[in-house]
Amino acid sequence: MMAALCMLVLAGLLILYSTSAYNGQIKFQDPFYYLKKQLFATALGAAGMYVAARIDYHLWRHVAVLGYLAAVLLSIAVLFVGDEYNGSKRWLSLGPLSFQPSEFAKVAVILFLAHVITKNIQEMGKMRTLLKIMAMILPIVGLVGASNLSTAIIILGIAVVLVFVASPKYGQFVVMGLLGMGFMGVFLALESYRLERIAIWRNPEDYEKGYQTLQGLYAIGSGGLFGRGLGESVQKLGFVPEAQNDMIFSIICEELGLFGAGIILLLFLILIWRFYVTASRAEDLFGALIASGAMAHMMIQVILNISVVTNTIPNTGITLPFVSYGGTSVVFLLIEMGLVFSVSSLVK
């Protein structure tokens, strides 16, 4: 797990520099601008991961509820005093630093649900218990979804996986699935731009906002089997807007080809597999649920990002873990990894 993580982080930093150097030079007269900020966030996250790995994960049960309440309060603060970038209000500023509370919310929800499910494990076979647990996270899903639907989907997905892991009955998930579809329908209908994204997804060539999707597909197609070579992408030179963010996988395909993109996906698969092994061998349910939550988070986010880049689903603005530019994302992903390492350290 550590080997796969280190390789992903190092490959991510190298790919990020290759992808962002042009934008950094044009916007900030510094080709290393994005890399330096990502390096700082990675160092901060690595320190957090080390601390989290050294702490007995059982101690987090005592603060799981407080952590969840903090995530709710921070999400409310975003609605009133959040900073808006590129038309989205998702950030809070603390002096010179800014961060996305939605990234903290993912970790908080994993710990909170692990605690609540462990506490109610004897009742998990009852439908009302499942609905009660799912209802507990609706406030954070609604608050995050108001400005960031994709992250709300991830949080909801994490919750479903954790409840599924702990539930002895599978039939009740049909009802939960129908409720989830209804919930998503309401969210899509609340904002017209979300319905517009579905139209763009179906016919990107007919809309100005489909430009990014089309350029990303051109990048993937032009990479071939082994790619143009690291640093040789054409599409990153202003054709794919903000290529270092959500669309970075398209540049990976262009520069490293199908072979290089496959290696990145293989590293993610190894990481997810080790999460599964850790969860299945954890010494107690609380530890198993922490590892399962991290596995669900990584799996859902990787699948969503690659599906968006390949236009398999409508554009949702999801980053590729450890690879896309985003300081808050990498910090909390590494802290989450520390929690899983804490669980795995007690596996015999």
Side-chain angles (χ1 to χ4, degrees), residues 21-22 51 60 96-97 101 125 147 152 154 169 180 192 197 232 249 253 274 314 336:
Y22 175 81
V51 171
W60 295 110
L97 301 176
S147 59
I154 292 174
K169 298 178 181 178
S192 59
R197 283 183 177 181
E232 299 300 318
F249 187 74
C253 291
R274 295 312 300 176
E336 191 176 297

Side-chain angles (χ1 to χ4, degrees), residues 167-179:
S167 175
K169 298 178 181 178
Y170 298 154
Q172 46 206 0
F173 282 89
V174 175
V175 177
M176 289 182 61
L178 293 173
L179 289 173

Side-chain angles (χ1 to χ4, degrees), residues 117-118 121 124-125 130 160-169 173 285 289:
I117 291 172
T118 302
I121 190 59
M124 288 303 292
L130 268 64
V160 170
V161 169
L162 288 181
V163 170
F164 182 81
V165 167
S167 175
K169 298 178 181 178
F173 282 89
L285 179 63
L289 290 173

Side-chain angles (χ1 to χ4, degrees), residues 1 5 88 163 176 180 190 195 227 293 308 345:
M1 186 157 58
L5 174 63
S88 299
V163 170
M176 289 182 61
L190 283 176
L195 295 175
V308 166
S345 67

Side-chain angles (χ1 to χ4, degrees), residues 270-298:
I270 292 171
L271 204 57
I272 291 167
W273 167 58
R274 295 312 300 176
F275 286 155
Y276 170 77
V277 171
T278 301
S280 60
R281 297 181 181 177
E283 68 168 17
D284 57 18
L285 179 63
F286 184 65
L289 290 173
I290 289 175
S292 297
M295 179 183 71
H297 177 194
M298 191 70 63

Side-chain angles (χ1 to χ4, degrees), residues 77-291:
V78 168
L79 297 179
F80 293 99
V81 296
D83 297 324
E84 187 172 320
Y85 297 102
N86 296 324
S88 299
K89 186 184 284 189
R90 300 177 182 176
W91 287 262
L92 280 179
S93 293
L94 297 173
L97 301 176
S98 63
F99 78 106
Q100 285 184 275
S102 59
E103 297 297 333
F104 167 69
K106 295 174 187 174
V107 182
V109 164
I110 290 172
L111 291 174
F112 174 70
L113 286 178
H115 166 67
V116 171
I117 291 172
T118 302
K119 188 177 178 180
N120 294 275
I121 190 59
Q122 299 299 328
E123 305 291 322
M124 288 303 292
K126 299 177 180 178
M127 188 66 189
R128 70 169 183 270
T129 304
L130 268 64
L131 293 176
K132 180 181 74 174
I133 291 173
M134 292 302 294
M136 288 180 180
I137 65 147
L138 288 184
I140 193 68
V141 171
L143 288 167
V144 170
S147 59
N148 193 343
L149 179 61
S150 51
T151 301
I153 292 172
I154 292 174
I155 292 173
L156 200 58
I158 291 170
V160 170
V161 169
L162 288 181
V163 170
F164 182 81
V165 167
S167 175
K169 298 178 181 178
Y170 298 154
Q172 46 206 0
F173 282 89
V174 175
V175 177
M176 289 182 61
L178 293 173
L179 289 173
M181 290 171 63
F183 186 75
M184 287 298 302
V186 171
F187 254 91
L188 288 172
L190 283 176
E191 297 287 350
S192 59
Y193 75 88
R194 291 169 183 158
L195 295 175
E196 184 186 26
R197 283 183 177 181
I198 295 177
I200 295 170
W201 164 59
R202 295 179 63 187
N203 300 290
E205 67 280 358
D206 294 340
Y207 296 86
E208 184 180 346
K209 291 182 179 178
Y211 175 81
Q212 184 184 47
T213 298
L214 290 175
Q215 295 301 321
L217 292 174
Y218 293 153
I220 294 171
S222 63
L225 190 59
F226 296 105
R228 296 176 180 270
L230 189 65
E232 299 300 318
S233 167
V234 174
Q235 295 300 114
K236 71 184 180 184
L237 304 179
F239 295 101
V240 177
E242 301 292 334
Q244 69 276 1
N245 293 331
D246 309 339
M247 301 296 289
I248 198 167
F249 187 74
S250 65
I251 307 302
I252 293 174
C253 291
E254 185 183 7
E255 294 191 344
L256 304 179
L258 181 63
F259 181 77
I263 290 176
I264 298 297
L265 292 181
L266 179 62
L267 290 174
F268 279 118
L269 284 173
I270 292 171
L271 204 57
I272 291 167
W273 167 58
R274 295 312 300 176
F275 286 155
Y276 170 77
V277 171
T278 301
S280 60
R281 297 181 181 177
E283 68 168 17
D284 57 18
L285 179 63
F286 184 65
L289 290 173
I290 289 175

